[in-house]
Amino acid sequence: MASAKHEWSGWRTAAERALYGAGGFFRRPEGPAGHFRTSVHASPLFARAVAELLTRVDEALGRPAEVALVDLGAGRGELLTRVLALAPGLPHGLGGRLRPYAVERAERPAGLDGRIAWLGTPPEGATGLLFANEWLDNVPVDVAETDADGVPRRVEVDLASLDGAERLGDPVDGEDAAWLARWWPLAGAGPGLRAEIGHPREAAWAQAVRSLRAGLAVAVDYAHERAARPPFGTLTGFREGREVRPVPDGTCDLTAHVAMDACAAASAAASGSGSGLMTQREALRALGLDARRPPLALASTDPTAYVRALSAAGEAAELTDPGGLGAFIWLLQPVNLPHEVLRP
Ligand SMILES: C[S@@+](CC[C@H](N)C(=O)[O-])C[C@H]1O[C@@H](n2cnc3c(N)ncnc32)[C@H](O)[C@@H]1O
């Protein structure tokens, strides 16, 4: 009887193939919006807040002739499309000076606004705002799990069966072990604890930050910090709006929360300026998002305006919900920016 064939690999390689290889999940025609809802899809108010942030960056930079808005991991260009719709109303002619760049591994979607440049990597030497919403959680990473003796070993997944079956591989060593020791200590812990080894994200983020000549780089994601890492890791899958078992067969998203403190340290080192972390709730409020209900009196004086304001307040509440999108972390990395533009 022929024995079943296996092809064991770490999750980093498996996710790279499943998400971005030929026929990979993020290359599918429906795009990320077909499977999950980000802040960008939740409400146009998110684009409005990004436009406000861009306006502040423009002012801090002294209103240069060209101001880049680089959307890293742009999906199908939804955020840039919404910001462009606001461009005519931006102050000091910013709309005319705006240069929108979508950076994506997927193909340019048909019918996208011709003003949006579609690139595979961030433009070099841009001046402006680089914004990466829910990008870092999709940068593939390896997973470690402690064995019966508490030794962290690489988790391997079967690329032959593609059913999500896992086994423990060799003990984690080298750069991976050094990263765990610094950012997500597992050694000596009990058996069965897991960690996602985040250094590929730090490298990707630091490289993106280095592409900016001057301005602000912002990464927004679900995240954790060293003092409270999740004991069993966070690797999971999403398909058509539902959380599913992570299987590297190209039919579902494969995502893990981001060790944002480690990314913040990496970009601070790359840029030579300090970085900051705040919640999305704090960031959006500081950018003027108002989730308060409109006064009831408006319902009788101007019912249409009341309904509009009520719906906007509902969307703002979703974006700032401390139990949902509002708990996302914004990592702010200035690059040669003369002064701070956002503080909680
Ligand atoms: C979760 S989606 C987020 C889309 C969009 N930013 C939003 O918030 O709706 C992540 C996107 O990042 C893209 N992506 C992942 N790694 C990338 C890379 N190295 N360069 C460019 N795009 C990347 C994926 O193709 C995918 O479209």
Side-chain angles (χ1 to χ4, degrees), residues 20 26 32 36 38-41 71-76 78 103-106 120 133-135 137-139 253:
Y20 307 113
F26 280 120
F36 46 83
T38 69
S39 296
V40 173
H41 317 132
D71 184 2
L72 179 47
R76 294 299 178 269
E78 296 94 335
V103 182
E104 245 308 326
R105 296 186 73 168
N133 191 61
E134 293 202 31
W135 167 59
D137 65 278
N138 284 131
V139 174
D253 184 17

Side-chain angles (χ1 to χ4, degrees), residues 71-91:
D71 184 2
L72 179 47
R76 294 299 178 269
E78 296 94 335
L79 176 63
L80 291 174
T81 302
R82 285 185 163 170
V83 173
L84 275 176
L86 301 169
L90 296 178

Side-chain angles (χ1 to χ4, degrees), residues 294-311:
L296 207 53
L298 187 63
S300 43
T301 53
D302 188 345
T304 312
Y306 178 76
V307 169
R308 208 179 309 121
L310 197 60
S311 146

